[in-house]
Amino acid sequence: MKMGSSNNNPFKDQTNYSFTNKLFPYTLYALLPIAIIHLYLNPFSFSFSPTDLFPYTNRITISPSKEVLRKSIGLETSCDYSNGTWVQDNLGPLYNGTTCDTIKNGQNCMVYGRPDKDYLNWRWKPKNCKLPRFNPNSFLKLVKNKHIAFVGDSLARNQLESLLCMMGTISKPQLLYTDGEANKNRKWHIPSHNINVSIYWSPFLVKGIEKNTEKDFNTLYLDSVDEKWAKDLEFIDFLVLSVGHWYLHPAVYHNGNNVVLGCHYCQNYTEIGFYDVFGKALETTFRKIVERKGQNGNESSVFLTTFSPAHFEGEWDKFGACSKTQPYKEKVLEGMDAEMRKVGVEEVRKAKLRVEEFGNSNLRLEALDISGLALLRADGHPGPYMNPFPFANGVGERVQNDCVHWCLPGPIDTWNEILLDVLKRWGGEYKGKLT
Ligand SMILES: *[C@@H]1O[C@H](CO)[C@@H](O)[C@H](O)[C@H]1NC(C)=O
Ligand SMILES: *[C@@H]1O[C@H](CO)[C@@H](O)[C@H](O)[C@H]1NC(C)=O
Ligand SMILES: *[C@@H]1O[C@H](CO)[C@@H](O)[C@H](O)[C@H]1NC(C)=O
Ligand SMILES: *[C@@H]1O[C@H](CO)[C@@H](O)[C@H](O)[C@H]1NC(C)=O
Ligand SMILES: *[C@@H]1O[C@H](CO)[C@@H](O)[C@H](O)[C@H]1NC(C)=O
């Protein structure tokens, strides 16, 4: 767990590395998560049976007229949220660590003593459309009587907790279920609007065995979706997928039960990196979603949150690893961040074509393309405030930093603002309006 001396520190001068050598970034990013592994949830196995959890009955079925409405909305249904700027906004966040009790400790920056507050006062302004402030009432109305599920890794949880806090300003979610182990799988109910919200831990989306004390690498089965969540697909109306960082770990990749395609940062197989592998896993995931939602299934919306960049500058356990207090004005996605985003966007595009081919007009897919706007928010991570009052006794020689996850409240609230806005557009709320 301890990093070596600063000479071969893989975080150092990250942006100066050349990405023209295809293999080099793979090995670089294999080392990165080794150092910060404890920032993610413990990669140990757990067991639960989701079939016990979702014995739903009453469903709302969709009348065909809604589809006609959608088609008539035309241009107003879309906005390129990815191109814009962060502008100062003194309204501040909707919630904080005092008003919301579902924030994971290490991301509750205010409560853990982060002294600066500027990072709370920014709003994302897309270049060509308006992104309204999150309106919890609109959101609750839109997902009334439905089940919204987040599936993925700790960044999925981060985004989910932001949403819970924002919904909670109107109506408090009640915890229905937790698997008791690091809160990996949880489910809430919001009685006022009969909404269920859940989170499934599935850091690859496809079937996989997470690294453990015996095996120091992940094992992925790229052609099988992870049934822990996928078996509940018919009972999920809104699905948000968020994965990526676990693909950086050393891993062996299988395609079919006994065929090894290659590996990433391991000894016995051919290095194949993780970009193509990530694409293949997303392809499998979307293929299953399209298949299982059927041709005339319930109305469903599926989102893929694109890769969320980390901001380590220097060693993760040295003071100042991510100590910015203002967003960047401009910064272009590059290297791994750009590749991972691209793979996600491309797989969503392919999945949309498949939905069309399949003829399911009740299934909508979209990429929540947050990579670029997230890259600008180096000021939004917990950094040393992943631990409470880290400098109470002065600055120690080692200071652990989380420059991956996001403070709550913080920039990740914007991901959900975009989510809501897309849903509103799909629902025809902007019909005839200039936005
Ligand atoms: C919410 O979950 C409960 C318990 O699993 C289930 O009985 C109910 O039908 C669900 N409601 C919705 C709207 O999904
Ligand atoms: C945003 O849009 C402007 C033109 O409207 C373009 O010049 C710029 O390259 C775009 N930026 C990104 C990140 O796409
Ligand atoms: C938290 O939010 C509440 C309610 O909006 C507000 O009264 C309080 O001042 C906030 N606390 C901080 C530390 O911002
Ligand atoms: C639609 O929802 C109902 C109730 O949750 C469920 O029983 C049914 O299987 C769903 N249909 C499809 C095609 O998923
Ligand atoms: C590589 O092979 C050795 C010897 O067979 C084995 O002990 C080791 O676990 C293998 N490593 C991987 C990553 O498969």
Side-chain angles (χ1 to χ4, degrees), residues 52 78 181 203 246 282 340 423:
D52 306 334
S78 69
E181 198 213 336
W246 277 70
L282 289 178
M340 291 297 276
L423 291 176

Side-chain angles (χ1 to χ4, degrees), residues 84-335:
T85 47
W86 288 98
V87 295
Q88 224 150 357
D89 174 22
N90 293 325
L91 280 176
L94 284 170
Y95 65 94
N96 59 42
T98 320
T99 58
C100 180
D101 57 12
T102 44
I103 304 176
K104 186 183 158 65
N105 286 339
Q107 280 132 41
N108 203 337
C109 300
M110 280 184 188
V111 166
Y112 270 23
R114 179 169 173 172
D116 60 306
K117 296 276 182 291
D118 283 358
Y119 73 99
L120 297 169
N121 295 321
W122 297 93
R123 186 168 55 80
W124 178 248
K125 193 176 172 308
K127 205 172 169 69
N128 294 316
C129 48
K130 273 195 201 123
L131 178 62
R133 184 172 165 83
F134 190 89
N135 182 331
N137 267 318
S138 302
F139 190 83
L140 289 166
K141 265 189 223 145
L142 269 166
V143 297
K144 195 171 156 81
N145 298 318
K146 302 281 162 111
H147 178 198
I148 175 164
F150 284 73
V151 177
D153 57 21
S154 53
L155 280 151
R157 185 195 55 216
N158 206 182
Q159 186 180 349
L160 160 97
E161 289 185 348
S162 151
L163 188 62
L164 284 176
C165 288
M166 295 200 288
M167 293 195 290
T169 59
I170 300 292
S171 192
K172 249 192 163 24
Q174 300 176 351
L175 187 65
L176 282 186
Y177 166 85
T178 171
D179 69 357
E181 198 213 336
N183 290 335
K184 278 178 174 168
N185 301 282
R186 285 178 287 172
K187 187 177 184 185
W188 292 263
H189 182 61
I190 301 179
S192 63
H193 295 73
N194 185 32
I195 295 163
N196 287 345
V197 186
S198 56
I199 179 133
Y200 296 81
W201 175 257
S202 182
F204 313 116
L205 297 180
V206 291
K207 195 174 126 193
I209 302 165
E210 292 163 31
K211 53 200 281 180
N212 52 47
T213 41
E214 276 125 58
K215 261 193 187 170
D216 198 21
F217 53 90
N218 298 318
T219 308
L220 272 68
Y221 298 87
L222 299 176
D223 62 351
S224 311
V225 73
D226 181 2
E227 291 295 342
K228 284 200 302 281
W229 64 273
K231 72 204 288 193
D232 291 337
L233 262 171
E234 63 177 299
F235 307 114
I236 297 172
D237 307 290
F238 297 91
L239 176 62
V240 182
L241 308 170
S242 177
V243 290
H245 287 262
W246 277 70
Y247 280 85
L248 279 51
H249 296 289
V252 173
Y253 306 117
H254 295 250
N255 207 13
N257 275 339
N258 292 311
V259 186
V260 174
L261 278 180
C263 76
H264 167 51
Y265 207 70
C266 75
Q267 302 149 11
N268 305 349
Y269 305 107
T270 315
E271 169 71 50
I272 58 171
F274 53 82
Y275 300 143
D276 291 347
V277 161
F278 183 50
K280 175 99 178 74
L282 289 178
E283 189 185 337
T284 299
T285 301
F286 286 126
R287 191 183 296 279
K288 283 292 170 212
I289 291 172
V290 175
E291 260 173 45
R292 297 215 186 149
K293 286 292 177 186
Q295 248 157 341
N296 236 327
N298 304 310
E299 186 167 83
S300 309
S301 308
V302 178
F303 294 90
L304 175 75
T305 303
T306 61
F307 191 76
S308 175
H311 290 93
F312 288 99
E313 296 165 26
E315 287 177 77
W316 79 279
D317 58 354
K318 279 274 162 65
F319 177 73
C322 50
S323 56
K324 291 219 158 38
T325 55
Q326 299 280 312
Y328 289 109
K329 290 222 163 57
E330 222 182 294
K331 200 165 171 39
V332 176
L333 279 171
E334 55 188 5

